[in-house]
Structure formats: structure tokens, C-alpha cells
Amino acid sequence: MRRKGFSITLLTVVASTVLAACSGGGSTAAPTTVPAAATAAPAATEAPAATEAPAATEAPAATEAPAATTEAPAATAEASATATAGGSSIEALVAKAPSISQELADAFAGKYKGTKVSISGPQTGEDANKFVASFTEFEALTGIDVEYEGTKEFEATIGTRIDGGNPPDIADFPQPGLLAGFVKSGKVIDVSTFIKSDWLKQNYNQSYIDIGTMDGPSGKVVAGVWHRAFPKSLVWYPKAAFDEAGYKVPETWEDLTKLMDQIATDGDTPWCIGIESGAATGWPATDWTEEMMLRTTSLENYDKWTKGELPFTDPVVKSAITKWSDIWFNDKYVYGGRASIVSTNFGDSPKPMFEKPDPKCWLHKQGSFITSFFPKDAKPGVDYGVFYLPPVDPQYGKPVLFSGDIMAMLVDRPEVRAVESFLSSGASVEAWVKSGGATSPHKDSDLSWYTNDIDRDVANILQNAETLRFDGSDLMPGVVGAGTFWKGLTDYVAGTVDLDKAAEEIQAGWPK
């Protein structure tokens, strides 16, 4: 067994990022024009963290040439130690490698010792360090040197690199819509040509495989493997106060409605809601729409809607919007009432939940990233808990909305196949999970890897999902998903347009 340190390569990409400023990016690149200021929208405030908050298409569009921010992360001793703390699953992976791919088995046999594989993605800073650390054992066992290059301008630069004939071996796409454009042009390797289909079916919920299967120039292509996933179908609540009040976690929509009414009867407001996010104001309303689309209609309709085949003006879509606006527009249900929603920053909106001696609001729906906006001294499992947003109609099961990273292979060499195969296993993200900041979509991952009960609850919700669908706005063209979708719903919540007009505004954004 060969053991060595991770290779750290400082990559200067000033030239590529300047070129990227002139690039149109992929099919779902952020719009080049910032959405018009929402009615009554407040001044721009801090956007969510890049890797955990809404995906990049929900951030304001870049209006200036980006600064060179590509970073080669340092593999810290602390992170590396985490990789092996308490043992890992990689030894078991070695034993079952032949059932995953021949290249992975050959890699563990030392056949590719001394080779290099490059990966590019949007992770920078501490996330990049944790990503690098997750390869420590793999590198030691195979002798393959994995080099990671992280850049905050990934979405802008990856197109330039691919079109310029200089792609990384593997790219970490946080937006399947962006990846789909490269798949369609034949620039992405079909991983089903070397990773065994039985393994993919065994280790992933079928929904992940379906979302990752895209149209190539000669037919369907399995465009990559999922590495991390972040569930969004989560409701946060002040656990200790909630338990003391005698409230129960709802299992059905009827239970949730009764809980809301009980809280209102007790003289409080159930929900903490805010959608202000500077130029990105409105994106939390798109998440609620996606949640209700998954709970009030079929997956087929959800998929058609994200592709533009089911218009926003369709009664199915308007029904989904009405479902959440019936809550939002009831002043008894929202802290500050409907009028406060547009002007309340999304990151500040859950804070009244932590007020002492009693919470000012009791429920907040948001993705797992939101805990970084909670008070620093808030204790998971005491000051806050989490539950799954209940289904509305039993015939549509218990769907989970998520965002995440799909790893696509752009260069076909045996050692690249080996690394791509490794990424399809829980072992590839185990160290990251143990150090915090990652949720594994792999079925061979273990809930014991998570460091607290709340993270385990979130992972459990993801693992128990009957079906999953990716964030719909990130699958739509940027001019819609990060444009008219944000503005139309903001105008609707602000009350300057009715639902019919809002739907027309949003639909008008689709490219003709």
C-alpha cells in the first residue's frame, strides 16, 4: 500500500476567467441582465453561501468581468485526520470494486499508480479543503494523484475550457441544466459505458439516475454520478419550546394545517417567511412552488414544467402556487403578515424563531444550508429541530426537492474512469460528511458518519425519499429560473399583480 500526501497545485487562471467574462456559458447560465427590481424590493443584501444556499443561477447575474478566484485548496492536516477518524468504508469498497467497474478494481490493484486526474468545480475555501481530503485514502491506495481546481466562476469558465479543448478530466456541476448543454453537444462521457448499471441502481435512488440521464447527440447518456445532495423539503422549528408547548411534528398536510391553527389559536404566528435577497429577491418563493408542484401533481408534469412544456399559466401550476400562497397570504399564519415577506431577508426570517422567552414564529421551510444563519449559540436538537414538509396528496408519495453536485467525465482515460467510479460510492464523500457540510446521496453511506442528530435527521429524510427532483428553477433557462420566475412571484407576493398576471409575466420569460 502506497501512502502519500495530496498534490497541491496552485493554478493561475487569470486568462481563462477574463475569457469567461465574454462567454455565454451553458444552457442555464445566469442571465446577463439582472432581473428588474422587484416591487417594493429592498436594497441588495448578502447572498447565500455559494455551495449551500441556492444554486448559482439564483445568485445575481455577474455584471463585471470576474476577478481571478481560482483556488487550489490546501489539504489540511486536520481535514486529512478527519478522513480516517474512526475508520472508513474504503476497505469495503476495495472488496466490491469489481462489481462497480473494471477500472476501479484495476486502480486498487495499483495499475494506474503515478497517473493524475484533474477535477474542476465551484467549491472553494473550506469546502474545497474538505473535498480534497476526501481523496486522501483513495490516493494512498491507488497511487493516482487527484488535483482539484476550485473557482467561484465555474459556471462561466467551464464552457470556455470545454469549447477551447482544455477541459478538466472531471467537472463538478451544481446545475444539471448547465451540464445538459454539454451532453447534447457530445462533450460528456456516458458513465454507463464503464460503471455497471446494477451498481448504479443498487447505490442510488432511481430518481438520481433519471435526472442524470440526458439527451446526447446519439441518444440517452448517463451524464455523471451524484456526489453530494442537499434536501430542501425541510421544516425547522424551535424544538425545546415546541415540545414544551405540546406541539407534535406533523406527518400529513392535515396535521400541518391543524398545527398552524393551534399555534394561531395560542396567540402566535406559525411561519417565519422572508424572500428578500437583493437582486435575487423571490427565490424562496420558487422553492415553495417546486415543493407544491411535487405534492399536487405528477412527476411527469413537474418534468414538463421545468422543460417549458407545461406553462406557468396552466391550472396545474397555478394550483401549486395557490397552495402555498393560501398560507403566505393569511396574516394569522405569517410573522409580520404578508406585507413583511418581500422586505424580510431570507437569512433573517428564521431568527424570530429563536427569541426568548418565547418564539415569535414556530416554523421555517428552507434547505439544510439555513442553519448557518441560525444564532451561533443555537444548539441542534435543543434550540432547533427539523422535519420533512408533509405530503399534500397521498397519491404523489413523499417527494424530496434537492440541489446537489453531479460529477461529469469530460476526458476518457482508464484512471479517470477509476476516479469517476470512486465518486459513485459513499466512501468518496465519507470524510466530508464526517467533517460537516455534506450529505451523501449514496445508499452505501452510513448515518453514523453524521456528527449530530439534526444532520442525521436531514440525511435520513434524503435516504427515505420515495422520489426526488432537482430544484426546478435551476433546470430552467436562467432568464426564467433566475429571472422572470423570481420577479413574477415577488410581484405576486407584494400584491402588485394577481396570480394570472404573475403567471403570464413568468411564462413570457421563456425563450421563443
Side-chain angles (χ1 to χ4, degrees), residues 265-505:
T265 299
D266 291 343
D268 289 326
T269 46
W271 289 96
C272 324
I273 303 174
I275 65 170
E276 191 280 321
S277 186
T281 294
W283 67 259
T286 69
D287 280 359
W288 275 84
T289 303
E290 292 150 6
E291 297 280 13
M292 292 304 112
M293 281 293 292
L294 290 174
R295 284 162 174 75
T296 61
T297 189
S298 65
L299 293 176
E300 290 74 17
N301 275 342
Y302 183 91
D303 293 340
K304 288 180 180 178
W305 172 60
T306 60
K307 295 175 183 175
E309 298 170 2
L310 182 70
F312 278 85
T313 52
D314 190 280
V316 167
V317 183
K318 291 195 291 186
S319 175
I321 296 174
T322 299
K323 194 67 181 177
W324 60 256
S325 60
D326 282 347
I327 296 174
W328 289 34
F329 295 175
N330 185 335
D331 286 351
K332 293 182 180 178
Y333 285 167
V334 180
Y335 182 67
R338 173 183 179 179
S340 71
I341 294 176
V342 171
S343 60
T344 300
N345 179 265
F346 77 93
D348 292 335
S349 61
K351 292 179 179 175
M353 198 167 69
F354 297 95
E355 288 201 16
K356 305 296 182 182
D358 299 310
K360 301 301 182 186
C361 48
W362 295 75
L363 306 169
H364 181 67
K365 196 207 86 64
Q366 191 51 273
S368 52
F369 76 89
I370 197 62
T371 56
S372 63
F373 290 85
F374 289 174
K376 298 298 183 186
D377 58 351
K379 296 179 181 177
V382 178
D383 295 310
Y384 64 90
V386 65
F387 63 80
Y388 169 73
L389 179 68
V392 172
D393 188 333
Q395 70 173 308
Y396 302 120
K398 297 178 68 175
V400 169
L401 183 72
F402 79 103
S403 62
D405 302 314
I406 183 169
M407 313 297 288
M409 207 172 104
L410 304 173
V411 177
D412 195 2
R413 301 194 308 275
E415 62 271 24
V416 183
R417 290 186 174 200
V419 173
E420 182 78 6
S421 301
F422 175 61
L423 291 167
S424 72
S425 72
S428 70
V429 75
E430 179 182 355
W432 202 341
V433 169
K434 287 180 174 178
S435 59
T439 312
S440 171
H442 313 90
K443 290 184 178 178
D444 66 339
S445 59
D446 195 315
L447 291 177
S448 67
W449 296 349
Y450 298 88
T451 56
N452 62 65
D453 289 342
I454 298 300
D455 287 350
R456 267 186 290 278
D457 287 345
V458 170
N460 198 39
I461 288 170
L462 189 69
Q463 288 195 2
N464 288 329
E466 294 177 359
T467 55
L468 299 112
R469 279 299 182 270
F470 202 85
D471 184 294
S473 60
D474 283 335
L475 297 174
M476 299 174 183
V479 291
V480 179
T484 59
F485 199 1
W486 291 348
K487 183 181 182 304
L489 291 185
T490 301
D491 290 347
Y492 175 51
V493 175
T496 58
V497 298
D498 61 17
L499 179 53
D500 288 338
K501 183 63 177 176
E504 291 172 3
E505 284 182 8

Side-chain angles (χ1 to χ4, degrees), residues 111-272:
K111 192 172 181 179
Y112 310 128
K113 180 180 178 180
T115 60
K116 293 184 178 181
V117 173
S118 63
I119 301 178
S120 179
Q123 320 299 339
T124 60
E126 185 61 24
D127 275 342
N129 293 338
K130 292 176 179 178
F131 183 56
V132 167
S134 67
F135 286 96
T136 301
E137 285 190 271
F138 177 81
E139 288 188 301
L141 290 170
T142 65
I144 297 174
D145 183 4
V146 181
E147 294 182 340
Y148 176 68
E149 169 196 329
T151 171
K152 294 179 179 177
E153 282 74 44
F154 171 80
E155 288 83 358
T157 59
I158 189 62
T160 301
R161 293 191 60 178
I162 292 174
D163 293 341
N166 182 36
D169 295 326
I170 294 173
D172 174 355
F173 284 88
Q175 300 158 286
L178 176 61
L179 171 60
F182 300 118
V183 175
K184 193 172 184 178
S185 61
K187 301 294 180 61
V188 177
I189 308 300
D190 184 347
V191 301
S192 70
T193 59
F194 61 92
I195 299 180
K196 298 183 186 301
S197 60
D198 286 347
W199 166 251
L200 293 176
K201 292 177 181 177
Q202 172 188 327
N203 213 37
Y204 286 107
N205 183 304
Q206 182 62 38
S207 292
Y208 290 116
I209 300 173
D210 292 343
I211 298 168
T213 301
M214 303 177 182
D215 292 326
S218 303
K220 295 292 183 181
V221 170
V222 180
V225 295
W226 293 94
H227 190 235
R228 293 190 304 163
F230 298 101
K232 293 189 164 193
S233 306
L234 308 174
V235 179
W236 304 88
Y237 65 102
K239 189 174 188 317
F242 190 92
D243 293 344
E244 185 177 349
Y247 299 145
K248 303 297 181 185
V249 169
E251 298 289 337
T252 66
W253 196 257
E254 288 74 19
D255 291 344
L256 179 62
T257 302
K258 290 178 182 176
L259 175 61
M260 292 189 295
D261 288 339
Q262 183 61 56
I263 293 172
T265 299
D266 291 343
D268 289 326
T269 46
W271 289 96
C272 324

